[in-house]
Amino acid sequence: MNAPLREPTFRESVDIMFNRAVKFMDLSPGLEEKIRVCNSTYTVRFGVRLRGEIKTFTGYRSVHSEHMEPVKGGIRFAANVHQDEVEALAALMTFKCALVEVPFGGSKGGLRIDPREWEEHEMELITRRFAYELAKRDLINPSQNVPAPDMGTGEREMAWIVDQYRRMNTTDINAAACVTGKPLNAGGIAGRVEATGRGVQYSLREFFRHPDDMKAAGLDGTLEGKRVIVQGLGNVGYHAAKFLSEEDGCRIVGVIERDGAIINDKGIPIEFLKTHIGATGGVKGFPRGTYVEDGHKVLEEDCDILIPAALESVINLGNAERIKAPLIVEAANGPVTAGADEILRARGKVIMPDLYVNAGGVTVSYFEWVKNLSHIRFGRMQRRQEEAQNALIVNEIERILRDSGATMGISDAFKSEYVRGAGELELVRSGLDDTMRTAYQSMREVWHGRKDVEDLRIAAYIVSIGRVAASYRSKGL
Ligand code: NAD
């Protein structure tokens, strides 16, 4: 197959990938179309009085599929957000949730704004007004439509949104579940901030458990010492780079940001670079590496693993032929266009697809939503009981060792590690790890089990679309 001459848009790319996948499936044309299309998009234009005048903002909330409710998807704040992008992102949410067996439909929101242009109190006014517009139409609602953070938003915005919803729904006992990614003190859950980056790490760990898969990418060994380039040191990229380097021994040899890139073959200390970006606004001037002004070019540098974690369409017809990394891990949504995808596959590259790799965010959002609805912290009932049970075992073993005259006992380090009951953070990590492993295995079964399926992305779509189709069928469609 030849690569398309014109670069497909993000939305077209998602459709092309969907269409490639359904060719391997036995769906009726009607059901296929029902699953592909975006059910609805609400566009809102609202005014806020700022700096002595009324400023008008444009926002969107798209619902791609309501085969399960609530529908779920982040809210993005970016200057170039548009309807097509939000609809593409909403479609990805449908397939992502299905892939990781999170019982939600797909949705997404966007507000056309550059958050860096506004003061915090101004951002609060704008966010609250946007939330009001969405909530009064049930486009924010614990049982129908539950947003979360995405590019340009985080805990702060989610705290404003939940507070706004509460003011409008004073008797809703489940109000906290109207949005996820909230701070802990506003109904959030331990481990949500880093969940997407943590999920990227878990997805790579799972990939590296399968020698055949590594071989397909021309890699071997473990994550230890692997050279990684990351684009975007925001929420997702920062956490992924931090965990991979600090816990798995990866060497981060390149970081690409808005103002350029830093490269260093010996490895870039991520915490130090993050502090530098916080203080100066960019990577330029960072003392522990070489600055490259044309950061985009660094995507083409030699490395083992390339992690685009910023924007869509950054790997496209213009650079796909020059990408050297054998393994591309899509931490961002839609970083590889459909045209580039075809070129990269023809060149034998392995792509771990966005709908799998960055699903850690929505997975932990699901845990947060469940926590909010159950009104109790995970682990609160059983943690101490678990500790008491474990202590019983350890004490008994120690008694037996003592009575039998053994010269060695159980070390204090093992004892405290073993006895400790799981708190919320441990349970969230365990649930996330299990989710990422299980989802990988379901993709992998299709990838290796069917001779006609060449890549993980199409395998992921086949699994997801199959689940969405089953859900529609059970509703009689
Ligand atoms: P973020 O706003 O926290 O970070 C984005 C980072 O990318 C920032 O550091 C920014 O400076 C950088 N960036 C922006 N333009 C760039 C450019 N042209 N070149 C290089 N770097 C650039 O956003 P995020 O939440 O980390 O989201 C990143 C991606 O991950 C998006 O595609 C988003 O949809 C996806 N995602 C995020 C989550 C989440 O939980 N936050 C979940 C799933 C997917």
Side-chain angles (χ1 to χ4, degrees), residues 2-69:
N2 291 326
L5 293 175
R6 183 182 69 80
E7 190 78 78
T9 63
F10 180 20
R11 164 84 179 270
E12 287 165 348
S13 285
V14 174
D15 279 350
I16 291 170
M17 289 158 182
F18 177 91
N19 291 337
R20 267 186 64 216
V22 290
K23 284 206 185 98
F24 297 101
M25 304 178 75
D26 187 22
L27 300 179
S28 71
L31 184 55
E32 192 180 300
E33 181 67 357
K34 175 71 208 83
I35 298 173
R36 192 185 58 77
V37 297
C38 180
N39 287 3
S40 62
T41 299
Y42 172 71
T43 305
V44 58
R45 293 181 189 86
F46 60 89
V48 184
R49 183 170 286 282
L50 296 161
R51 303 179 190 178
E53 53 180 310
I54 294 175
K55 299 272 186 193
T56 301
F57 297 90
T58 304
Y60 308 93
R61 187 87 185 145
S62 289
V63 175
H64 174 262
S65 175
E66 289 144 303
H67 68 287
M68 286 198 188
E69 283 189 315

Side-chain angles (χ1 to χ4, degrees), residues 76 89 96 108 149-153 192 196 231-237 256-258 309-312 331-333 358 361:
R76 173 175 286 198
L89 289 163
K96 196 178 300 186
K108 201 81 181 190
D150 192 70
M151 221 161 87
T153 57
R192 173 61 185 89
T196 311
Q231 182 186 41
L233 215 61
N235 178 304
V236 179
I256 309 163
E257 255 296 331
R258 287 176 203 266
L311 311 165
E312 53 262 19
N333 282 309
N358 68 36

Side-chain angles (χ1 to χ4, degrees), residues 66-277:
E66 289 144 303
H67 68 287
M68 286 198 188
E69 283 189 315
V71 293
K72 191 88 187 75
I75 291 185
R76 173 175 286 198
F77 284 3
N80 51 2
V81 161
H82 53 85
Q83 181 170 343
D84 259 19
E85 178 184 87
V86 177
E87 291 188 359
L89 289 163
L92 280 180
M93 283 307 298
T94 296
F95 304 128
K96 196 178 300 186
C97 290
L99 182 66
V100 293
E101 295 179 284
V102 159
F104 296 142
S107 163
K108 201 81 181 190
L111 183 65
R112 204 181 291 162
I113 188 171
D114 183 348
R116 292 170 303 173
E117 288 177 3
W118 302 96
E119 303 285 335
E120 181 162 0
H121 70 278
E122 295 171 325
M123 282 309 301
E124 178 172 354
L125 284 175
I126 300 163
T127 305
R128 281 184 182 276
R129 182 58 203 269
F130 185 35
Y132 168 81
E133 293 292 337
L134 297 180
K136 75 177 182 189
R137 292 171 179 87
D138 284 334
L139 291 165
I140 297 178
N141 182 307
S143 61
Q144 285 188 33
N145 201 325
V146 182
D150 192 70
M151 221 161 87
T153 57
E155 285 190 331
R156 184 184 72 167
E157 288 72 18
M158 302 306 116
W160 292 330
I161 292 173
V162 70
D163 187 62
Q164 185 63 37
Y165 181 87
R166 267 217 180 87
R167 287 184 191 189
M168 297 166 70
N169 299 274
T170 49
T171 56
D172 185 348
I173 195 170
N174 292 322
C178 78
V179 66
T180 58
K182 303 177 292 289
L184 257 185
N185 64 10
I189 191 168
R192 173 61 185 89
V193 175
E194 67 271 30
T196 311
R198 186 62 82 187
V200 175
Q201 175 196 31
Y202 289 166
S203 71
L204 267 165
R205 283 185 178 176
E206 182 57 20
F207 181 86
F208 274 79
R209 284 189 191 103
H210 301 280
D212 284 354
D213 303 5
M214 284 190 270
K215 208 167 134 201
L219 293 168
D220 56 23
T222 63
L223 279 168
E224 178 83 37
K226 292 284 178 296
R227 293 161 311 139
V228 178
I229 293 179
V230 179
Q231 182 186 41
L233 215 61
N235 178 304
V236 179
Y238 159 68
H239 287 109
K242 176 181 165 70
F243 299 145
L244 286 168
S245 56
E246 291 177 2
E247 298 173 13
D248 297 293
C250 289
R251 219 169 353 128
I252 312 296
V253 295
V255 171
I256 309 163
E257 255 296 331
R258 287 176 203 266
D259 66 325
I262 293 294
I263 49 172
N264 182 350
D265 210 45
K266 293 201 177 78
I268 298 164
I270 290 304
E271 213 47 63
F272 192 17
L273 179 56
K274 185 74 177 167
T275 309
H276 176 85
I277 296 175

